[in-house]
CSV table of all heavy atoms in Angstrom, one decimal:
chain,number,residue,atom,x,y,z
A,632,GLN,N,228.4,-4.5,116.7
A,632,GLN,CA,228.1,-4.1,118.1
A,632,GLN,C,229.1,-3.2,118.7
A,632,GLN,O,228.9,-2.6,119.7
A,632,GLN,CB,227.9,-5.4,118.9
A,632,GLN,CG,226.8,-6.3,118.4
A,632,GLN,CD,225.5,-5.7,118.4
A,632,GLN,OE1,225.2,-4.9,119.2
A,632,GLN,NE2,224.7,-6.0,117.4
A,633,VAL,N,230.3,-3.1,118.1
A,633,VAL,CA,231.4,-2.3,118.6
A,633,VAL,C,231.2,-0.9,118.2
A,633,VAL,O,231.0,-0.6,117.0
A,633,VAL,CB,232.7,-2.8,118.2
A,633,VAL,CG1,233.8,-2.0,118.7
A,633,VAL,CG2,232.9,-4.3,118.6
A,634,GLN,N,231.2,0.0,119.2
A,634,GLN,CA,231.0,1.4,118.9
A,634,GLN,C,232.3,2.0,118.3
A,634,GLN,O,233.4,1.8,118.9
A,634,GLN,CB,230.6,2.2,120.1
A,634,GLN,CG,230.3,3.7,119.9
A,634,GLN,CD,229.7,4.3,121.1
A,634,GLN,OE1,229.1,3.7,121.9
A,634,GLN,NE2,229.9,5.6,121.2
A,635,GLN,N,232.3,2.7,117.2
A,635,GLN,CA,233.4,3.2,116.5
A,635,GLN,C,233.8,4.5,117.1
A,635,GLN,O,232.9,5.3,117.6
A,635,GLN,CB,233.2,3.3,115.0
A,635,GLN,CG,232.8,2.0,114.4
A,635,GLN,CD,233.9,1.0,114.5
A,635,GLN,OE1,235.1,1.3,114.3
A,635,GLN,NE2,233.6,-0.2,115.0
A,636,PRO,N,235.0,4.9,117.1
A,636,PRO,CA,235.5,6.2,117.6
A,636,PRO,C,234.7,7.3,116.8
A,636,PRO,O,234.5,7.2,115.6
A,636,PRO,CB,237.0,6.2,117.3
A,636,PRO,CG,237.3,4.7,117.2
A,636,PRO,CD,236.2,4.0,116.6
A,637,GLY,N,234.4,8.3,117.5
A,637,GLY,CA,233.7,9.4,116.9
A,637,GLY,C,232.3,9.3,116.8
A,637,GLY,O,231.6,10.2,116.4
A,638,GLN,N,231.7,8.1,117.1
A,638,GLN,CA,230.3,7.9,117.0
A,638,GLN,C,229.6,8.3,118.3
A,638,GLN,O,230.1,8.0,119.4
A,638,GLN,CB,229.9,6.5,116.7
A,638,GLN,CG,230.3,6.0,115.3
A,638,GLN,CD,229.9,4.6,115.1
A,638,GLN,OE1,230.0,3.8,116.1
A,638,GLN,NE2,229.6,4.2,113.9
A,639,GLY,N,228.5,9.0,118.2
A,639,GLY,CA,227.8,9.4,119.4
A,639,GLY,C,226.9,8.2,119.9
A,639,GLY,O,226.8,7.2,119.2
A,640,GLN,N,226.2,8.5,121.0
A,640,GLN,CA,225.3,7.4,121.5
A,640,GLN,C,224.2,7.1,120.5
A,640,GLN,O,223.8,5.9,120.4
A,640,GLN,CB,224.7,7.9,122.8
A,640,GLN,CG,223.9,6.8,123.5
A,640,GLN,CD,224.7,5.6,123.9
A,640,GLN,OE1,225.9,5.7,124.2
A,640,GLN,NE2,224.1,4.4,124.0
A,641,GLY,N,223.8,8.1,119.7
A,641,GLY,CA,222.7,7.9,118.8
A,641,GLY,C,223.2,7.0,117.6
A,641,GLY,O,222.3,6.5,116.8
A,642,GLN,N,224.5,6.8,117.4
A,642,GLN,CA,225.0,6.0,116.3
A,642,GLN,C,225.4,4.7,116.7
A,642,GLN,O,226.2,4.0,116.0
A,642,GLN,CB,226.1,6.8,115.6
A,642,GLN,CG,225.7,8.1,114.9
A,642,GLN,CD,226.8,8.8,114.2
A,642,GLN,OE1,227.9,8.7,114.7
A,642,GLN,NE2,226.6,9.5,113.2
A,643,ASN,N,225.1,4.3,117.9
A,643,ASN,CA,225.5,3.0,118.4
A,643,ASN,C,225.0,1.8,117.5
A,643,ASN,O,225.7,0.8,117.4
A,643,ASN,CB,224.9,2.8,119.8
A,643,ASN,CG,225.4,1.5,120.5
A,643,ASN,OD1,226.5,1.1,120.3
A,643,ASN,ND2,224.5,0.9,121.3
A,644,ASN,N,223.9,2.0,116.9
A,644,ASN,CA,223.4,1.0,115.9
A,644,ASN,C,223.9,1.5,114.5
A,644,ASN,O,223.4,2.5,114.0
A,644,ASN,CB,221.9,1.0,116.0
A,644,ASN,CG,221.3,-0.1,115.1
A,644,ASN,OD1,222.0,-0.7,114.3
A,644,ASN,ND2,220.0,-0.3,115.3
A,645,LEU,N,224.8,0.7,113.9
A,645,LEU,CA,225.3,1.0,112.6
A,645,LEU,C,224.3,1.0,111.5
A,645,LEU,O,224.5,1.4,110.4
A,645,LEU,CB,226.5,0.1,112.3
A,645,LEU,CG,227.7,0.3,113.1
A,645,LEU,CD1,228.8,-0.7,112.7
A,645,LEU,CD2,228.2,1.7,113.0
A,646,LEU,N,223.1,0.4,111.8
A,646,LEU,CA,222.0,0.4,110.8
A,646,LEU,C,221.3,1.7,110.6
A,646,LEU,O,220.4,1.8,109.8
A,646,LEU,CB,221.0,-0.7,111.1
A,646,LEU,CG,221.6,-2.1,111.1
A,646,LEU,CD1,220.5,-3.1,111.5
A,646,LEU,CD2,222.2,-2.5,109.8
A,647,GLY,N,221.7,2.7,111.4
A,647,GLY,CA,221.2,4.0,111.2
A,647,GLY,C,219.8,4.3,111.6
A,647,GLY,O,219.1,5.0,111.0
A,648,GLY,N,219.4,3.8,112.8
A,648,GLY,CA,218.1,4.1,113.3
A,648,GLY,C,217.1,2.9,113.1
A,648,GLY,O,217.5,1.9,112.6
A,649,GLN,N,215.9,3.1,113.6
A,649,GLN,CA,214.9,2.0,113.7
A,649,GLN,C,214.5,1.6,112.3
A,649,GLN,O,214.3,0.4,112.0
A,649,GLN,CB,213.7,2.5,114.4
A,649,GLN,CG,214.0,2.7,115.9
A,649,GLN,CD,212.8,3.1,116.7
A,649,GLN,OE1,212.0,4.0,116.2
A,649,GLN,NE2,212.6,2.6,117.9
A,650,LEU,N,214.4,2.5,111.3
A,650,LEU,CA,214.0,2.1,110.0
A,650,LEU,C,215.1,1.2,109.3
A,650,LEU,O,214.8,0.2,108.8
A,650,LEU,CB,213.6,3.3,109.1
A,650,LEU,CG,213.3,3.0,107.7
A,650,LEU,CD1,212.0,2.1,107.7
A,650,LEU,CD2,213.1,4.3,106.9
A,651,GLY,N,216.3,1.7,109.4
A,651,GLY,CA,217.4,0.9,108.9
A,651,GLY,C,217.5,-0.4,109.5
A,651,GLY,O,217.8,-1.4,108.9
A,652,GLU,N,217.3,-0.5,110.9
A,652,GLU,CA,217.4,-1.7,111.6
A,652,GLU,C,216.3,-2.7,111.1
A,652,GLU,O,216.5,-3.9,110.9
A,652,GLU,CB,217.2,-1.5,113.1
A,652,GLU,CG,217.2,-2.8,113.9
A,652,GLU,CD,217.1,-2.5,115.4
A,652,GLU,OE1,216.9,-1.3,115.7
A,652,GLU,OE2,217.1,-3.5,116.2
A,653,ALA,N,215.1,-2.1,110.9
A,653,ALA,CA,214.0,-2.9,110.4
A,653,ALA,C,214.3,-3.5,109.0
A,653,ALA,O,214.0,-4.7,108.8
A,653,ALA,CB,212.7,-2.1,110.4
A,654,ILE,N,214.7,-2.7,108.1
A,654,ILE,CA,215.0,-3.2,106.8
A,654,ILE,C,216.2,-4.2,106.8
A,654,ILE,O,216.3,-5.2,106.1
A,654,ILE,CB,215.3,-2.0,105.8
A,654,ILE,CG1,214.0,-1.2,105.7
A,654,ILE,CG2,215.7,-2.5,104.4
A,654,ILE,CD1,214.1,0.0,104.8
A,655,GLY,N,217.2,-3.9,107.7
A,655,GLY,CA,218.3,-4.8,107.9
A,655,GLY,C,217.8,-6.2,108.4
A,655,GLY,O,218.2,-7.2,107.9
A,656,ASN,N,216.8,-6.1,109.3
A,656,ASN,CA,216.2,-7.4,109.8
A,656,ASN,C,215.5,-8.1,108.7
A,656,ASN,O,215.6,-9.3,108.6
A,656,ASN,CB,215.2,-7.1,110.9
A,656,ASN,CG,215.9,-6.6,112.2
A,656,ASN,OD1,217.0,-6.9,112.4
A,656,ASN,ND2,215.1,-5.9,113.0
A,657,LEU,N,214.9,-7.3,107.8
A,657,LEU,CA,214.2,-8.0,106.6
A,657,LEU,C,215.2,-8.7,105.8
A,657,LEU,O,215.0,-9.8,105.3
A,657,LEU,CB,213.5,-6.9,105.9
A,657,LEU,CG,212.6,-7.4,104.7
A,657,LEU,CD1,211.5,-8.3,105.2
A,657,LEU,CD2,212.0,-6.2,103.9
A,658,ILE,N,216.4,-8.0,105.5
A,658,ILE,CA,217.4,-8.6,104.7
A,658,ILE,C,218.0,-9.9,105.4
A,658,ILE,O,218.2,-10.9,104.7
A,658,ILE,CB,218.5,-7.6,104.4
A,658,ILE,CG1,218.0,-6.5,103.6
A,658,ILE,CG2,219.7,-8.3,103.7
A,658,ILE,CD1,219.0,-5.3,103.4
A,659,GLN,N,218.2,-9.7,106.7
A,659,GLN,CA,218.8,-10.9,107.4
A,659,GLN,C,217.8,-12.1,107.4
A,659,GLN,O,218.2,-13.2,107.2
A,659,GLN,CB,219.1,-10.5,108.8
A,659,GLN,CG,220.3,-9.6,109.0
A,659,GLN,CD,220.5,-9.1,110.4
A,659,GLN,OE1,219.6,-8.9,111.1
A,659,GLN,NE2,221.8,-9.0,110.8
A,660,GLN,N,216.5,-11.8,107.5
A,660,GLN,CA,215.5,-12.9,107.4
A,660,GLN,C,215.5,-13.5,106.1
A,660,GLN,O,215.5,-14.8,106.0
A,660,GLN,CB,214.1,-12.3,107.7
A,660,GLN,CG,213.9,-11.8,109.1
A,660,GLN,CD,212.6,-11.0,109.3
A,660,GLN,OE1,211.7,-11.1,108.4
A,660,GLN,NE2,212.5,-10.4,110.4
A,661,GLY,N,215.6,-12.7,105.0
A,661,GLY,CA,215.7,-13.3,103.7
A,661,GLY,C,216.9,-14.1,103.5
A,661,GLY,O,216.9,-15.2,102.9
A,662,LEU,N,218.1,-13.6,104.0
A,662,LEU,CA,219.4,-14.4,103.8
A,662,LEU,C,219.4,-15.6,104.6
A,662,LEU,O,219.8,-16.7,104.2
A,662,LEU,CB,220.5,-13.4,104.2
A,662,LEU,CG,220.8,-12.2,103.3
A,662,LEU,CD1,221.9,-11.3,103.9
A,662,LEU,CD2,221.1,-12.6,101.9
A,663,SER,N,218.8,-15.5,105.9
A,663,SER,CA,218.8,-16.7,106.7
A,663,SER,C,218.0,-17.8,106.2
A,663,SER,O,218.3,-19.0,106.1
A,663,SER,CB,218.3,-16.3,108.1
A,663,SER,OG,219.2,-15.4,108.7
A,664,SER,N,216.8,-17.4,105.7
A,664,SER,CA,215.9,-18.4,105.1
A,664,SER,C,216.5,-19.0,103.9
A,664,SER,O,216.3,-20.2,103.6
A,664,SER,CB,214.5,-17.8,104.8
A,664,SER,OG,214.6,-16.8,103.9
A,665,GLY,N,217.2,-18.2,103.1
A,665,GLY,CA,217.9,-18.7,101.9
A,665,GLY,C,219.0,-19.7,102.3
A,665,GLY,O,219.1,-20.8,101.6
A,666,ALA,N,219.7,-19.4,103.3
A,666,ALA,CA,220.8,-20.4,103.7
A,666,ALA,C,220.2,-21.7,104.2
A,666,ALA,O,220.7,-22.7,104.0
A,666,ALA,CB,221.6,-19.7,104.8
A,667,ALA,N,219.0,-21.6,104.9
A,667,ALA,CA,218.4,-22.8,105.3
A,667,ALA,C,217.9,-23.7,104.2
A,667,ALA,O,217.9,-24.9,104.2
A,667,ALA,CB,217.3,-22.5,106.3
A,668,ASN,N,217.4,-23.0,103.1
A,668,ASN,CA,216.8,-23.7,102.0
A,668,ASN,C,217.9,-24.5,101.2
A,668,ASN,O,217.7,-25.6,100.8
A,668,ASN,CB,216.0,-22.8,101.1
A,668,ASN,CG,214.8,-22.3,101.7
A,668,ASN,OD1,214.3,-22.9,102.7
A,668,ASN,ND2,214.3,-21.1,101.3
A,669,GLY,N,219.1,-23.8,101.0
A,669,GLY,CA,220.1,-24.4,100.3
A,669,GLY,C,219.8,-24.7,98.8
A,669,GLY,O,220.4,-25.6,98.3
A,670,SER,N,218.8,-24.0,98.2
A,670,SER,CA,218.4,-24.3,96.9
A,670,SER,C,219.2,-23.5,95.9
A,670,SER,O,220.3,-22.9,96.2
A,670,SER,CB,217.0,-24.1,96.7
A,670,SER,OG,216.6,-22.7,97.1
Side-chain angles (χ1 to χ4, degrees):
Q632 302 299 325
V633 179
Q634 182 172 337
Q635 301 300 315
Q638 291 178 327
Q640 185 65 27
Q642 295 177 330
N643 185 35
N644 186 350
L645 290 180
L646 296 181
Q649 292 178 320
L650 178 62
E652 180 181 2
I654 297 179
N656 291 338
L657 184 62
I658 294 174
Q659 288 177 323
Q660 292 169 13
L662 295 175
S663 299
S664 61
N668 291 336
S670 58

